[in-house]
Structure formats: structure tokens, C-alpha cells
Amino acid sequence: MNKILLEIKGIQRIDTQRDKMELTTAGTFEETAEAYVINYTEEQEPPTPPIDVCVKISKDEKAVEMTRTGAFNSCLIIEKSKRNLCHYGTEFGDILMGISGHTIEGECTDEKGSFIFTYDIDMNGALVSRNEVRINFRSNQE
């Protein structure tokens, strides 16, 4: 498992509005036989405890699994040209969402890498948002 410095950018489009999130943090990177695995922690406003995030990108670029564990848990599965039902935990309970994957691309070496994936979120069959996530990382051997 290698220590890395991550830059994560997320864009969410809802109708004509656009929201952007950027995060720079330390994490770990591991390559398995089937996937690239990135782990990091998102700090929250006190008194909410931190959220641990695990992103698994399949080497064949067909699927991404994003798991968040903490006060509320969620697991989003993004597969190219496929819709999956996923649970997203909130303080009011779990929400069941449809996740329709579009693009999954990536490249990485031992020292750095980048991934991009796009997907739509729907609830009750109605489009809620179009999303894009970009993850860039480099070795952090400090």
C-alpha cells in the first residue's frame, strides 16, 4: 500500500445549476489483480466524526465502487451503460437511488495516476443530477 496525495474534484449538475467540490488530502493507493483501490478520510464539521472513503476502480474500466463509512454509510456502484440501485445514508435514513454510469477512464503508474468517471443519479425514475468525478494522485513518500 503506497501513501499518496489526492486531488479530488466533483461536479454536480442539477438542471441549469452547477456545484463544484474540491478536496486535497492524503490517502493510500493499492493495486490488486482486478482493481485500483484508493482510501482516504474526509474530515467533517465537529461533532460529526470523519468519514472513511474507499474507491475501487476496476482495471477493465467497467465499474467503480465508492464506499463511505462513518456516521452514515453508503455504497455507490457505477458501471458503464448500466443502472444500479444504491443506498445512500443520511441522518434521516437511507435513500435508494438509481446510479447510471457513463464514462470510466483511468491511467496510473507506481508514482501517479488519474481517473475520471461520470454518472447520473435518479430517484423514483426522475433525473436528479449529472455528476463527474476526477481523481488525481501522486506518490507521497514523506
Side-chain angles (χ1 to χ4, degrees):
M1 203 173 299
N2 298 326
K3 292 181 180 180
I4 57 171
L5 182 63
L6 284 158
E7 293 177 356
I8 303 166
K9 295 180 183 178
I11 299 172
Q12 184 179 53
R13 292 178 183 85
I14 304 169
D15 296 323
T16 59
Q17 298 178 353
R18 181 179 164 181
D19 189 27
K20 187 175 184 181
M21 178 278 304
E22 294 187 33
L23 172 68
T24 301
T25 189
T28 62
F29 173 81
E30 182 179 4
E31 182 176 351
T32 69
E34 298 84 29
Y36 303 108
V37 182
I38 297 171
N39 289 287
Y40 63 94
T41 299
E42 287 182 6
E43 298 297 328
Q44 303 296 305
E45 291 289 325
T48 306
I51 296 171
D52 293 321
V53 180
C54 178
V55 181
K56 294 180 186 175
I57 303 108
S58 66
K59 287 185 173 180
D60 62 8
E61 297 182 349
K62 291 184 179 179
V64 174
E65 179 181 311
M66 295 186 342
T67 306
R68 297 168 55 89
T69 55
F72 310 103
N73 300 326
S74 63
C75 180
L76 303 181
I77 298 172
I78 302 161
E79 292 182 273
K80 279 185 182 178
S81 304
K82 187 173 180 183
R83 181 175 180 265
N84 288 291
L85 291 177
C86 301
H87 291 273
Y88 190 84
T90 73
E91 62 185 290
F92 305 106
D94 283 356
I95 297 172
L96 185 62
M97 303 184 303
I99 307 294
S100 300
H102 299 295
T103 305
I104 301 171
E105 297 175 359
E107 60 180 77
C108 69
T109 66
D110 291 338
E111 298 295 317
K112 64 181 180 175
S114 65
F115 300 99
I116 180 171
F117 41 98
T118 60
Y119 58 97
D120 293 345
I121 297 176
D122 70 80
M123 290 186 187
N124 295 326
L127 180 64
V128 174
S129 65
R130 296 189 181 278
N131 303 274
E132 177 180 306
V133 175
R134 292 180 180 267
I135 299 175
N136 294 304
F137 71 88
R138 67 178 188 271
S139 178
N140 185 18
Q141 300 301 325
E142 295 180 4

